[in-house]
Amino acid sequence: VVNRLRTTYLAGQPLAEQIDPATSLYELGGMMYPGKVIVLREHFRCVEPIIRFSSRFYGGHLVPLRLPKPSERLDPPLIDVLVEDGKRRGDVNVAEATYIVEEIKRAIADPVLNAAGKRSIGVISLHADKQAKLIYDRLIHAVGPEIMSDHHIMCGDAATFQGQERDIIFLSMV
């Protein structure tokens, strides 16, 4: 089927043989412009205050396209928290895990935060998947699997979240 579509619609096009369902646009761009860096111009998943940090890596040209509806807004959209008594032991930070679990419990219980529906929640551990597992296990115990399912709670490393979206994300720095 792919060969028939390629012959019908891409005859004479550069890189027609490389175009198939397994080839990404970035891969095709790399083939068309070898040795060049291809950067994004637009970002559609996050609001501007979150994208502002990454924009500096794009020469300030990364344009956030996400305009949340009033019912989707979270103000402020980005909050930094220092867990004062946090300390990394091996690949986990128990105090930070405890803080995140308590914040998730508060978010789940907040009727204003969930007025437009149950917010989905993710926890990304930037250092180790052991921290994500610790938080997941504590959440199962603290809120139960049904609530976790209702809020689509997911815990993992950055790779786990590729292609995923959540209304609320916690970054565990361990």
Side-chain angles (χ1 to χ4, degrees):
V1 173
V2 172
N3 285 333
R4 186 172 36 121
L5 291 170
R6 187 182 290 127
T7 303
T8 304
Y9 296 104
L10 300 176
Q13 295 298 316
L15 303 176
E17 290 301 313
Q18 283 75 33
I19 298 174
D20 63 38
T23 307
S24 74
L25 289 175
Y26 287 113
E27 290 171 317
L28 291 171
M31 291 177 211
M32 290 191 70
Y33 305 102
K36 303 266 184 185
V37 175
I38 299 172
V39 296
L40 298 173
R41 294 279 185 163
E42 299 171 335
H43 192 287
F44 64 91
R45 285 191 174 165
C46 297
V47 294
E48 191 277 332
I50 295 172
I51 292 306
R52 190 179 310 137
F53 172 82
S54 298
S55 186
R56 65 183 172 172
F57 301 111
Y58 294 85
H61 299 292
L62 186 59
V63 178
L65 299 179
R66 176 86 187 257
L67 295 173
K69 296 180 243 174
S71 64
E72 296 173 327
R73 290 185 59 96
L74 295 173
D75 287 315
L78 189 60
I79 301 170
D80 298 332
V81 175
L82 173 63
V83 179
E84 296 280 345
D85 58 338
K87 186 165 254 176
R88 184 172 129 193
R89 296 194 197 296
D91 288 337
V92 298
N93 183 328
V94 174
E96 182 182 82
T98 301
Y99 181 88
I100 290 172
V101 168
E102 291 303 314
E103 284 298 308
I104 290 173
K105 285 170 49 181
R106 274 193 277 286
I108 289 168
D110 186 335
V112 174
L113 189 64
N114 292 289
K118 294 178 180 171
R119 303 275 186 167
S120 60
I121 300 171
V123 180
I124 302 173
S125 175
L126 295 181
H127 177 69
D129 55 352
K130 287 181 183 174
Q131 178 80 353
K133 173 121 176 56
L134 172 65
I135 295 167
Y136 181 86
D137 291 345
R138 286 183 169 208
L139 281 167
I140 286 282
H141 179 72
V143 302
E146 186 176 325
I147 300 280
M148 289 187 68
S149 177
D150 289 348
H151 287 272
H152 303 285
I153 296 176
M154 188 166 125
C155 303
D157 60 9
T160 303
F161 280 84
Q162 286 299 318
Q164 298 287 324
E165 291 185 14
R166 293 295 185 271
D167 297 317
I168 301 168
I169 292 285
F170 291 84
L171 287 178
S172 174
M173 310 300 270
V174 188

